[in-house]
Amino acid sequence: MTDITASVEKAITELRSSFHDCVVEVEADGSGGAYSIVRGIPLGPPYIQFDTWIGFQITFQYPYADVYPHFTQPDLARLDNRVLGEGLGTAQ
């Protein structure tokens, strides 16, 4: 990966290690950070979906900056039709 700081590369390596059964896509953001999507994260109950993806940007300031916000599929839903819960919302 070119143009990505050593700290961000280390974070990506840790993601791949933590989510070894998932696909981790990475694209340099041009500022030393990276846009990342982790695909195939298993869910199951209480969610309707069997799995999902989560996308986020790891900025060049990492590890001194939060990796926030995180995005997921817009149709994420619970089996019991309840709201997703604190810290989770829907947007497109």
Side-chain angles (χ1 to χ4, degrees):
M1 290 173 265
T2 59
D3 300 321
I4 296 176
T5 68
S7 294
V8 173
E9 284 189 28
K10 182 178 180 211
I12 293 165
T13 299
E14 291 171 355
L15 274 172
R16 288 191 166 123
S17 176
S18 296
F19 294 94
H20 55 84
D21 290 336
C22 300
V23 174
V24 178
E25 299 174 8
V26 175
E27 181 180 330
D29 68 5
S31 297
Y35 298 107
S36 303
I37 298 177
V38 181
R39 297 188 185 277
I41 299 171
L43 289 177
Y47 299 99
I48 292 171
Q49 291 82 2
F50 177 73
D51 63 16
T52 194
W53 56 267
I54 296 177
F56 47 90
Q57 181 182 16
I58 307 170
T59 65
F60 72 92
Q61 299 102 332
Y62 184 83
Y64 303 107
D66 291 334
V67 178
Y68 179 82
H70 291 76
F71 300 91
T72 190
Q73 63 192 72
D75 64 338
L76 185 64
R78 293 174 53 108
L79 289 163
D80 58 9
N81 294 318
R82 295 177 64 189
V83 296
L84 295 175
E86 293 223 10
L88 295 172
T90 58
Q92 296 235 20

